Amino acid sequence: MRKNIIAGNWKMNKTNKEAVEMLSALKDSVRDIDDVVIIIAPAFTALSDAINTVKGTNISISAQNVYPKDSGAYTGEVSPVMLSSMGVEYVIIGHSERREYFKESNAFINEKVFAILNNGMSPILCIGETLNEREDNVTNAVLEIQLREGLKNVTPEMASKIVVAYEPVWAIGTGKTATPEMAEHTHKAIREILTSMFGDVAQDMSILYGGSMKPNNAPELLSQPDIDGGLIGGASLQADTFTQIVLAAK
Ligand code: PGA
């Protein structure tokens, strides 16, 4: 069964105090929701406080990054063993900001996929085309490369634990959203690529839409048959706007 997932990506925002305040409000407002998987991804510094705040609730915690080694001389990095031992359940990888600013390649992202799965967590793999790529009509080809290289050597069994987030780069933080029809069209193409890679398992994989999803556009986006949830940046920073999007996914 495909899961309905609403995940909030806080990016480089919120002190520990602010994280605890937001999550305390959120856990009250989403208390009765049992048919949406609710995920929040705070910065590394707030993970521990976030996990303590949501313990025993229906909110799961994700990291925003990981280094694909269990331990060692990698100054400044955080390992999947550290994350899973704290109770982190998901890790966002392949976000366009990391691809662009930190030059992360599909091969490096592929190493992270294995590191995350080997430590009992689920990757949220972000893929998406730039505006130039969309205008050049190479969107599907770009997404296919990101999927085939990012998920190289992944088995169907492993794929069943992976969440894919389609985030058109031109829609992230810009207020521009793909129209529901455009997003559905691309999600369908993504599912076809996943089917050619993993067979029937692709029917059970959740494909999230991300890029300026807000309470006003979420209902229409989330009602599309191949859009199984959202990865929310800006609108995940406040409990009330994020809750409205979670309610739209019900
Ligand atoms: P946005 O960010 O909702 O602020 O556009 C989405 C994301 O980058 O995941």
Side-chain angles (χ1 to χ4, degrees), residues 9 11 95 97 167 171-173 210-214 231-234:
N9 173 13
K11 309 191 180 184
H95 193 282
E97 288 152 15
E167 300 204 304
I172 296 176
S212 300
M213 192 186 272
K214 310 278 177 210
L231 180 57
I232 327 295

Side-chain angles (χ1 to χ4, degrees), residues 5-237:
I5 301 175
I6 298 294
N9 173 13
W10 282 356
K11 309 191 180 184
M12 199 174 71
N13 291 292
K14 294 200 187 289
T15 61
N16 286 29
K17 183 170 173 278
E18 290 164 346
V20 169
E21 278 168 9
M22 188 288 190
L23 288 168
S24 302
L26 183 67
K27 68 181 181 186
D28 288 338
S29 60
V30 298
R31 186 187 310 252
D32 298 329
I33 295 170
D34 56 8
D35 50 358
V36 181
V37 177
I38 304 167
I39 303 170
I40 291 284
F44 283 135
T45 42
L47 283 176
S48 183
D49 280 348
I51 285 165
N52 287 332
T53 308
V54 303
K55 205 164 267 166
T57 72
N58 54 348
I59 302 170
S60 298
I61 296 296
S62 172
Q64 296 176 19
N65 190 21
V66 69
Y67 193 75
K69 297 278 184 222
D70 285 352
S71 63
Y74 302 99
T75 302
E77 295 298 323
V78 172
S79 90
V81 175
M82 296 169 181
L83 296 176
S84 66
S85 68
M86 308 172 66
V88 169
E89 293 178 66
Y90 297 85
V91 184
I92 297 173
I93 53 173
H95 193 282
S96 63
E97 288 152 15
R98 296 215 60 89
R99 292 179 190 263
E100 186 186 343
Y101 306 146
F102 304 99
K103 306 288 173 253
E104 293 198 5
S105 66
N106 288 319
F108 188 49
I109 292 162
N110 184 246
E111 285 183 51
K112 296 186 185 199
V113 169
F114 284 87
I116 294 162
L117 290 171
N118 288 340
N119 285 283
M121 300 178 290
S122 287
I124 301 175
L125 171 66
C126 305
I127 58 171
E129 81 288 1
T130 62
L131 186 58
N132 279 345
E133 289 164 344
R134 178 159 284 269
E135 285 173 352
D136 288 347
N137 278 323
V138 292
T139 297
N140 289 5
V142 167
L143 299 175
E144 178 149 14
I145 291 169
Q146 290 174 339
L147 287 170
R148 290 200 184 271
E149 294 184 359
L151 299 179
K152 193 172 165 189
N153 295 327
V154 165
T155 64
E157 199 202 329
M158 292 162 80
S160 67
K161 302 188 177 77
I162 295 172
V163 178
V164 172
Y166 167 57
E167 300 204 304
V169 179
W170 47 270
I172 296 176
T174 58
K176 286 188 202 143
T177 345
T179 63
E181 296 72 30
M182 195 195 277
E184 169 60 17
H185 188 76
T186 309
H187 277 235
K188 236 180 146 154
I190 291 168
R191 202 176 305 282
E192 275 162 25
I193 298 165
L194 292 171
T195 302
S196 78
M197 295 172 70
F198 305 119
D200 292 344
V201 169
Q203 291 305 320
D204 293 333
M205 292 175 73
S206 298
I207 307 175
L208 317 184
Y209 172 81
S212 300
M213 192 186 272
K214 310 278 177 210
N216 64 336
N217 58 28
E220 224 189 326
L221 285 161
L222 293 169
S223 66
Q224 304 299 316
D226 286 287
I227 300 184
D228 311 309
L231 180 57
I232 327 295
S236 73
L237 293 171

